[in-house]
Amino acid sequence: MSYVNLRAFESEDMKELHRWFNDADSISMIGRVPRTYEETVQHVEKKRKNGDLVLAIENEELHTVGWIFLQNIEYEHGRASIGILIAPESRGKGYAGAAMRKMIDIGFKQLRLNKIYLTTRGINEQAIGLYQKTGFVIEGQLRNHAYSDGRYYDTYIMGILASEWKD
């Protein structure tokens, strides 16, 4: 398992996030269009205003290799949505799984959430495998829900409960 450290996402991380957002694979898997630097900054500021927990992912050399966040945090219902993006050059090295486990731990143990959920495209088999390995289960499927590169793709809703979490 790869070592990661989660720390506050800082302004100096913005340039790298902008680069990751505009990576061709990121665009097709997340289903976005390219973003300007200003749009990236606005996106992060909006997340912070919404009360999202936004953290940078660092590897053992303290290089920033991604970002992870809990959003739509609803304490009254004990739930939040999780999202992650790994730098293109850092994918496939185990950072995503390690970061997901740390963020899920924060969600269940510090924020006292009962459920953490996510959505992902059916085409993103690598992510689905990672999420299932981490403990998420597919709770639903939205057919032809996302459009990218001239095609519609299914979207999967996945979740994990605090009672199911085994760290």
Side-chain angles (χ1 to χ4, degrees):
M1 178 172 28
S2 297
Y3 167 84
V4 296
N5 178 52
L6 301 184
R7 62 160 175 79
F9 190 85
E10 303 288 352
S11 298
E12 52 266 20
D13 298 318
M14 209 70 71
K15 194 172 180 184
E16 283 296 291
L17 179 63
H18 177 248
R19 183 175 65 82
W20 307 334
F21 273 168
N22 288 301
D23 170 67
D25 287 337
S26 299
I27 288 171
S28 70
M29 289 303 148
I30 298 171
R32 292 204 177 100
V33 294
R35 285 191 171 152
T36 65
Y37 182 78
E38 292 74 23
E39 288 169 333
T40 300
V41 170
Q42 290 168 359
H43 178 71
V44 173
E45 287 174 355
K46 182 178 177 188
K47 293 184 89 39
R48 288 186 173 136
K49 283 182 188 146
N50 289 344
D52 298 351
L53 177 59
V54 181
L55 300 176
I57 305 166
E58 290 180 331
N59 66 10
E60 48 281 320
E61 289 92 30
L62 302 181
H63 294 124
T64 306
V65 296
W67 83 326
I68 190 165
F69 51 85
L70 288 174
Q71 64 184 4
N72 305 315
I73 302 170
E74 297 179 82
Y75 292 104
E76 63 274 19
H77 297 293
R79 67 181 179 228
S81 172
I82 193 168
I84 187 169
L85 180 61
I86 300 295
E89 64 278 3
S90 299
R91 294 178 189 149
K93 297 181 180 179
Y95 298 134
M100 290 285 287
R101 286 186 288 279
K102 283 195 173 205
M103 187 61 114
I104 292 167
D105 246 11
I106 290 169
F108 289 147
K109 294 177 181 174
Q110 292 181 29
L111 303 182
R112 299 182 185 154
L113 298 173
N114 180 57
K115 180 178 184 172
I116 297 174
Y117 63 96
L118 60 86
T119 61
T120 190
R121 290 171 176 230
I123 193 174
N124 198 348
E125 294 173 7
Q126 187 176 4
I128 293 168
L130 166 71
Y131 301 145
Q132 288 175 323
K133 187 177 170 186
T134 307
F136 285 84
V137 297
I138 295 174
E139 297 182 342
Q141 178 179 353
L142 301 170
R143 298 176 305 138
N144 286 343
H145 191 71
Y147 185 81
S148 181
D149 294 329
R151 290 189 53 205
Y152 287 95
Y153 296 98
D154 294 350
T155 296
Y156 290 98
I157 302 165
M158 302 179 76
I160 186 169
L161 303 176
S163 61
E164 299 167 337
W165 180 237
K166 296 169 185 66
D167 181 34

